[in-house]
Amino acid sequence: MSPIITGLLLAIGVSVFVMTMAGRIGVLLAMKKENRLDNIPQRVSALVRFGLGQKRMVDPEEFTPGLMHILIYAAFMVLALRTIMMFVMGFSETALVLLTDLSDPFWAAHPALLTVYKLYLLAKDVVAAGALLGAAYFVYLRASVKPDRVSPSWEAYLILGFISGLMVTEFLFGGSHMVPREQTMPLATGNFVWWEPVTSVFGMAMKPLGYTVAHVLGVAGFWIHLAIVLAFLNFLPWGKHFHVITGLPNVFFLRLGQGQRNTQSAKLPTPNLEKEEFGAATLKDLTWKQGLDLYSCTECGRCQTHCPTYITGKPLTHKGVNQDLKHWAWENQMWIEEGRGPSGTVEPLPEIIGSALKAETVWACTSCGWCETACPVFIENVPRLIDMRRYQVQVKAEFPPEIQRVFEGMERQGNPWGLGQDKRDEWAQDLALPTWGDGGTYEYLFFVGCAGSYDDKQKKVSRALVKILREAGVSFATLSKQEMCNGDSARRMGNEYLYQTLAKTNVESWNAMGVKAVITQCPHCFNTIKNEYPEFGGTYRVINHTQLINELLKEKRIKLSAVMNEKLTYHDPCYLGRHNGVYDAPREVLKAIPGLEVVEMQRSQREGFCCGAGGGRMWMEEHIGTRINHNRLNEAALTLKHAEDPSTPYPSATDKQKPGQVGDYKEPGGKGVVAVACPFCSTMLRDAVNDTGREERIKVKDITELVADALEVKQGTGTVAPSVAVNAKPE
């Protein structure tokens, strides 16, 4: 070929790419430092499974697009070596002959190497054909299906054109060498060879054109291929396909320590308040990893499919946040790196809220974790938004006005309602419950929680759980009036100082009392104590009430005998299910209740839909779009109706053109029970029942209440059993 042209193409292409990447990396270097080089073996394992192995790409809700993406990904991985070969061919005529003519004496002298090379060529042909299939599928998907999650984009078609062009030019180049210059040439016969099946087809198609035309097509294919490679490379840092470069590193640097099934935000990063880390005001207050997250967003829109804010018309999509922040960073690169604003003079960076994002966007998130569960490259969306809330609360004191009383209630009375601390144990006044520290020895601390202590509905759940624990002979005690809020809502609403104060107070007190194991009936309490308290020295065996009840049933410590002839659907709490992977225990408990017919909602388990109360939204008004709890209850009503009458239309919750249609159901629906395992979910869904006029058809009950109603009582409820260990097995 031509060393001069090849060298010129490489010099220009690589130089421009390096200059562009220097700016992109400069932005990351200007951001806050963060250590993401701990536990290298675990990171390598994650990279192999989720990066190289593309495990999340074929999640059930997007299996076919994911499979097509894997075909393209495989082609890039395999053809990377072929691209290097082609650049070498451009510099060396010897390499060109050697790599295109398998009758060369070199191969006869190295038969084993020839076999390996043929197998590589076979793999190359197969994956390149797969990439063409994948590219055609995505053109069809965008042009005909037009999924709701996919934004219209000329860039996508350009990239698909690049991909297709790379594959076709590879086949043209290879096929041209199968067209004989003379009929006596032994291998270049234009016939089919097993090691290049697709290339052979191109060669046979070009054979009638003659050697000269085929040669011209091959040479054109060669140079066009190299040009596309360099054009593609330089285009990547300017658009959403930057993830081709940053995706694998982003997976490698994911947040560790949460387990395979947990989200990235089950445990939020803990800022050092003594060093005045009060949240993210500007782009430079984000960490470099959060910046890499922005670069890695593919705009695939998977985060929208079950996102409660997107489905109900709120001003938040995590895809949109990523793009807004990324483009602002790119447009103001010098401002971030060197402090020089648009005027060319040194100016302070503007705050994120007001320049790149709106305040209502930051406050809309329910922290349900769907976006982090769905993201193929593990973008940490929720912690970044919480960081912005921290600045708004702790520095600017600008937040939704209704949460002021929540903060004050936690500060003064240790609960978000601001009700008297002396009333915390009134729910159990006639139960004669033991108090931790009264001189007795107990296996479990029953952390009742604020809702379980003050909310009239949840008080019944607390009493029902006590009934079950006593019947099973579980040794437990409460903190009575000394119990304080765990701080979850304060933390997720951005008041990190208040959260840390509550967390440190609780941990210090519990450790002094010798607490080793904790029962919770609220998933928010469960998540905070289990995942976040260890950072403050509070390492306990934490068990959710559904897990404990399930173990008691398996060990035959309790028996359910009352028959309940009702249809029931279970709503997965985000902080029990998605954030902590507890899906089976609640369902196993429900199936153990005689007579219950359990039917699943479409959006369940990993794909469960939020009730709207997480992320502190329990305490905020919902003024924009439709109400999240209404959407969820509508699905429950439709599910129960469909169970009664299978002819009832039941649209797919993951419909590509309009996801979440199951939440648009407006009819009264079927009769039955919506089972919950969270006080926040209970409140939100009961409110939705009342708001939608379904009081006579649907009842919302905690699993604990259902179990207590079905419980066969043998032991008196006023006694406390001796200490008996119950070993809850993690799911």
Side-chain angles (χ1 to χ4, degrees):
M1 290 297 181
S2 171
I4 295 177
I5 297 176
T6 305
L8 191 61
L9 282 173
L10 268 177
I12 295 173
V14 173
S15 297
V16 174
F17 177 73
V18 168
M19 287 189 291
T20 303
M21 286 301 295
R24 299 292 185 254
I25 294 172
V27 170
L28 298 184
L29 293 176
M31 293 177 163
K32 286 173 59 177
K33 293 180 174 57
E34 181 181 11
N35 180 22
R36 290 294 180 102
L37 288 173
D38 56 317
N39 203 333
I40 298 298
Q42 192 176 346
R43 294 189 179 281
V44 171
S45 174
L47 178 63
V48 170
R49 284 184 294 138
F50 298 106
L52 300 175
Q54 300 276 287
K55 185 175 180 180
R56 281 193 171 185
M57 288 306 303
V58 288
D59 282 339
E61 69 278 3
E62 296 292 346
F63 179 81
T64 303
L67 185 60
M68 293 298 111
H69 183 277
I70 288 176
L71 293 180
I72 293 175
Y73 164 79
F76 271 86
M77 297 298 286
V78 175
L79 265 70
L81 177 59
R82 181 64 170 175
T83 297
I84 294 172
M85 290 180 188
M86 292 183 76
F87 274 105
V88 172
M89 292 181 215
F91 282 109
S92 169
E93 192 70 28
T94 301
L96 174 64
V97 172
L98 182 66
L99 294 171
T100 58
D101 182 5
L102 301 192
S103 65
D104 188 270
F106 172 84
W107 297 113
H110 301 85
L113 191 58
L114 175 61
T115 300
V116 172
Y117 185 51
K118 284 182 176 180
L119 291 174
Y120 170 76
L121 292 176
L122 176 63
K124 178 264 299 180
D125 257 35
V126 171
V127 297
L132 283 174
L133 175 63
Y137 171 81
F138 285 119
V139 169
Y140 162 76
L141 193 69
R142 284 183 166 274
S144 298
V145 180
K146 299 179 180 177
D148 176 80
R149 66 177 177 83
V150 176
S151 304
S153 169
W154 61 267
E155 177 190 336
Y157 289 109
L158 176 63
I159 295 298
L160 291 172
F162 279 163
I163 294 169
S164 301
L166 287 173
M167 306 308 145
V168 170
T169 52
E170 159 61 29
F171 289 139
L172 279 175
F173 174 69
S176 69
H177 288 86
M178 293 185 173
V179 177
R181 184 192 300 267
E182 300 173 6
Q183 293 301 323
T184 57
M185 293 180 66
L187 283 179
T189 60
N191 296 324
F192 185 87
V193 294
W194 66 265
W195 57 87
E196 286 188 291
V198 183
T199 302
S200 295
V201 172
F202 273 75
M204 289 187 286
M206 286 189 283
K207 185 177 180 181
L209 301 176
Y211 172 78
T212 302
V213 175
H215 178 72
V216 170
L217 290 174
V219 170
F222 177 87
W223 292 115
I224 292 172
H225 187 95
L226 297 192
I228 291 176
V229 167
L230 294 173
F232 198 168
L233 181 68
N234 279 279
F235 187 76
L236 292 178
W238 292 96
K240 64 181 182 179
H241 289 83
F242 200 9
H243 75 275
V244 173
I245 297 172
T246 64
L248 292 179
N250 208 57
V251 173
F252 179 80
F253 291 121
L254 62 80
R255 186 176 302 281
L256 297 176
Q258 296 304 304
Q260 180 177 332
R261 291 184 293 180
N262 291 8
T263 62
Q264 304 292 289
S265 56
K267 176 187 178 298
L268 292 173
T270 299
N272 189 333
L273 299 180
E274 293 182 359
K275 293 183 178 180
E276 299 186 350
E277 294 178 355
F278 297 138
T282 71
L283 259 294
K284 289 185 69 172
D285 293 320
L286 299 178
T287 68
W288 66 264
K289 173 56 173 64
Q290 291 172 328
L292 189 64
D293 280 344
L294 304 181
Y295 290 178
S296 302
C297 180
T298 70
E299 295 184 51
C300 68
R302 290 177 177 227
C303 56
Q304 295 180 178
T305 303
H306 298 310
C307 174
T309 57
Y310 176 75
I311 293 296
T312 59
K314 309 296 188 292
L316 167 66
T317 71
H318 292 285
K319 178 178 79 171
V321 168
N322 288 328
Q323 298 315 303
D324 289 345
L325 291 175
K326 178 177 72 177
H327 290 302
W328 195 95
W330 288 356
E331 291 165 5
N332 298 276
Q333 190 169 291
M334 298 305 295
W335 206 349
I336 296 171
E337 287 186 70
E338 302 176 11
R340 289 188 283 115
S343 63
T345 59
V346 176
E347 302 176 41
L349 271 177
E351 294 177 0
I352 294 172
I353 297 179
S355 59
L357 301 176
K358 296 179 180 179
E360 54 264 34
T361 297
V362 173
W363 287 103
C365 183
T366 67
S367 73
C368 76
W370 167 251
C371 54
E372 296 173 347
T373 298
C375 182
V377 293
F378 290 83
I379 292 173
E380 298 161 21
N381 295 296
V382 176
R384 186 175 57 220
L385 290 177
I386 300 299
D387 243 1
M388 297 177 199
R389 290 183 180 183
R390 286 170 177 164
Y391 177 75
Q392 293 299 109
V393 170
Q394 297 176 133
V395 177
K396 300 198 72 177
E398 294 180 1
F399 45 81
E402 59 267 27
I403 65 176
Q404 177 66 45
R405 61 177 177 79
V406 179
F407 291 150
E408 291 174 353
M410 291 184 182
E411 290 168 357
R412 298 171 184 174
Q413 298 293 344
N415 69 84
W417 286 279
L419 299 174
Q421 185 74 13
D422 60 332
K423 299 180 184 300
R424 190 157 194 126
D425 62 350
E426 285 186 354
W427 67 274
Q429 279 187 348
D430 61 332
L431 296 180
L433 293 180
T435 302
W436 201 288
D438 62 3
T441 301
Y442 307 101
E443 181 73 16
Y444 288 101
L445 167 64
F446 173 24
F447 186 79
V448 182
C450 299
S453 300
Y454 292 106
D455 182 80
D456 288 339
K457 177 65 170 67
Q458 200 64 24
K459 288 178 186 178
K460 298 176 182 178
V461 178
S462 301
R463 294 176 68 89
L465 185 54
V466 168
K467 177 182 176 182
I468 296 167
L469 297 178
R470 283 181 162 171
E471 179 60 29
V474 177
S475 172
F476 70 95
T478 71
L479 293 172
S480 189
K481 292 181 174 63
Q482 303 308 310
E483 184 179 285
M484 294 178 61
C485 182
N486 68 84
D488 162 81
S489 288
R491 173 167 247 202
R492 281 158 178 80
M493 290 191 294
N495 196 334
E496 182 68 17
Y497 176 79
L498 176 55
Y499 162 72
Q500 290 196 22
T501 300
L502 291 168
K504 290 175 181 177
T505 300
N506 283 334
V507 168
E508 182 179 351
S509 173
W510 298 0
N511 287 352
M513 291 188 291
V515 173
K516 301 297 182 184
V518 181
I519 300 170
T520 67
Q521 61 175 321
C522 171
H524 298 265
C525 302
F526 174 72
N527 181 77
T528 297
I529 299 169
K530 173 177 176 281
N531 295 320
E532 298 183 320
Y533 272 25
E535 197 159 4
F536 301 94
T539 303
Y540 315 106
R541 183 160 59 90
V542 187
I543 181 169
N544 173 263
H545 64 309
T546 63
Q547 293 175 303
L548 180 57
I549 293 171
N550 193 37
E551 286 301 310
L552 295 175
L553 286 166
K554 288 181 177 179
E555 295 172 6
K556 303 188 185 307
R557 304 268 297 278
I558 57 175
K559 182 179 180 181
L560 307 182
S561 58
V563 178
M564 297 182 182
N565 293 315
E566 292 192 84
K567 286 185 173 61
L568 176 147
T569 189
Y570 172 62
H571 164 79
D572 286 282
C574 300
Y575 275 81
L576 185 62
R578 193 141 50 223
H579 285 295
N580 285 286
V582 180
Y583 298 117
D584 296 337
R587 288 171 169 81
E588 290 174 3
V589 171
L590 290 171
K591 290 176 182 176
I593 299 175
L596 272 186
E597 180 186 344
V598 181
V599 292
E600 290 280 6
M601 288 186 268
Q602 286 191 51
R603 296 180 294 187
S604 64
Q605 300 197 48
R606 173 185 164 275
E607 297 181 61
F609 194 74
C610 183
C611 73
R617 291 296 314 181
M618 171 75 179
W619 316 107
M620 301 181 221
E621 297 298 329
E622 194 172 350
H623 300 296
I624 305 173
T626 57
R627 295 186 67 86
I628 295 171
N629 59 336
H630 289 188
N631 186 287
R632 184 52 162 170
L633 185 75
N634 289 343
E635 180 181 6
L638 176 56
T639 300
L640 293 171
K641 181 63 177 177
H642 188 264
E644 288 178 1
D645 179 9
S647 67
T648 304
Y650 199 30
S652 171
T654 56
D655 182 87
K656 287 189 171 16
Q657 294 176 318
K658 193 177 187 301
Q661 291 183 66
V662 288
D664 296 336
Y665 183 70
K666 296 297 190 294
E667 300 300 320
K671 287 186 177 182
V673 175
V674 178
V676 296
C678 171
F680 287 4
C681 297
S682 178
T683 297
M684 298 299 283
L685 294 177
R686 280 188 287 113
D687 287 349
V689 168
N690 295 332
D691 293 343
T692 59
R694 293 182 172 118
E695 300 93 331
E696 300 302 317
R697 305 185 69 82
I698 295 178
K699 304 299 178 186
V700 178
K701 292 186 178 182
D702 192 281
I703 289 176
T704 309
E705 295 176 284
L706 295 167
V707 171
D709 289 343
L711 190 64
E712 182 177 303
V713 179
K714 297 177 182 177
Q715 187 170 298
T717 57
T719 62
V720 179
S723 177
V724 181
V726 177
N727 298 314
K729 300 178 180 64
E731 295 191 39

